[in-house]
Amino acid sequence: GAVVSQHPSRVICKSGTSVKIECRSLDFQATTMFWYRQFPKQSLMLMATSNEGSKATYEQGVEKDKFLINHASLTLSTLTVTSAHPEDSSFYICSASVQGVSYEQYFGPGTRLTVT
Amino acid sequence: AQSVTQLDSQVPVFEEAPVELRCNYSSSVSVYLFWYVQYPNQGLQLLLKYLSGSTLVKGINGFEAEFNKSQTSFHLRKPSVHISDTAEYFCAVSDLRTSGSRLTFGEGTQLTVNP
């Protein structure tokens, strides 16, 4: 149980275009979903926290107009990178949790974004 | 605020040798503690967690960790490693007061098991 999927696993887009990444909890309802960014050989950097039905809370330094997060249902959150640039190339990982249940996050497999 | 320090960025060991990956944390409140493993180009997989109770926690793949409150440490150990244990390992803490189980991660330790 507690499986989180991400789609796509890899995406290449041209500079200036937008790309959407989906994060789904397959067998549980996720009260909260998190979006992380990971550069090569580095740790995970939390970008934002989203609770179903409410606006995402962004970490300091993360542009909310560039990284649009939607958490419209208890099983789906999306991250849209708008007007992508090469510096947005990174590994994006989502996670999901059920509040009050051991405070554990279940991680998706990640999405490799390359902006050319 | 809380922070996590993983004292070794890289740990090379030989197959079947024991290994310890060190993790220290700083927090003004009680925390939950976690160890995750990440294989190349994959997400994170939970190895083990400490929530309460016994300070020695056993996880998957033969790993265990010991919570030491006085030393604010949560070191990960395995008595005999395999080639397949080669991966990046992350220690993380969650502030018990924070809603939504927000995690703070350490910088990671690359474990490389050589034949």
Side-chain angles (χ1 to χ4, degrees):
Chain A
V3 178
V4 176
S5 70
Q6 278 184 245
H7 178 80
S9 58
R10 290 176 177 270
V11 58
I12 300 173
C13 70
K14 292 185 182 294
S15 187
T17 62
S18 296
V19 61
K20 180 185 286 188
I21 302 170
E22 291 186 349
C23 176
R24 294 183 184 272
S25 56
L26 299 185
D27 50 4
F28 68 102
Q29 293 187 322
T31 311
T32 305
M33 286 187 169
F34 303 84
W35 286 96
Y36 295 88
R37 184 173 181 177
Q38 186 180 31
F39 291 105
K41 306 294 184 184
Q42 294 189 26
S43 188
L44 280 71
M45 182 192 79
L46 180 65
M47 299 175 67
T49 303
S50 72
N51 293 295
E52 184 267 338
S54 60
K55 289 184 178 180
T57 301
Y58 290 81
E59 295 298 301
Q60 191 171 6
V62 178
E63 300 175 60
K64 59 177 136 183
D65 294 331
K66 180 169 185 62
F67 299 100
L68 301 178
I69 291 172
N70 183 279
H71 191 169
S73 77
L74 284 171
T75 59
L76 173 65
S77 176
T78 59
L79 168 67
T80 301
V81 183
T82 62
S83 187
H85 292 287
E87 56 265 30
D88 299 324
S89 298
S90 190
F91 194 52
Y92 292 87
I93 303 175
C94 74
S95 69
S97 70
V98 180
Q99 190 166 347
V101 181
S102 76
Y103 283 79
E104 183 174 337
Q105 292 185 27
Y106 304 97
F107 286 83
T111 296
R112 174 74 61 193
L113 170 63
T114 303
V115 184
T116 61
Chain B
Q2 54 199 16
S3 65
V4 179
T5 302
Q6 290 183 241
L7 297 162
D8 306 293
S9 59
Q10 297 192 41
V11 174
V13 294
F14 288 109
E15 193 174 17
E16 297 183 4
V19 70
E20 178 180 81
L21 305 184
R22 297 180 293 169
C23 172
N24 286 90
Y25 69 93
S26 173
S27 176
S28 59
V29 298
S30 297
V31 296
Y32 292 150
L33 295 155
F34 305 82
W35 273 100
Y36 290 89
V37 60
Q38 184 180 34
Y39 298 99
N41 295 309
Q42 294 186 29
L44 273 64
Q45 181 183 7
L46 180 68
L47 279 177
L48 48 78
K49 61 189 175 190
Y50 172 79
L51 305 180
S52 65
S54 173
T55 57
L56 183 62
V57 181
K58 294 189 183 297
I60 62 171
N61 301 343
F63 284 93
E64 63 180 32
E66 185 157 18
F67 170 57
N68 188 318
K69 188 174 181 179
S70 63
Q71 297 187 6
T72 60
S73 67
F74 190 54
H75 301 333
L76 181 70
R77 302 186 184 98
K78 185 169 182 178
S80 176
V81 294
H82 303 289
I83 299 287
S84 59
D85 291 323
T86 295
E88 188 83 18
Y89 291 79
F90 292 98
C91 180
V93 300
S94 178
D95 183 340
L96 290 184
R97 296 176 310 175
T98 305
S99 64
S101 60
R102 177 187 172 132
L103 289 172
T104 300
F105 286 91
E107 291 300 311
T109 297
Q110 173 65 43
L111 173 65
T112 302
V113 181
N114 298 300

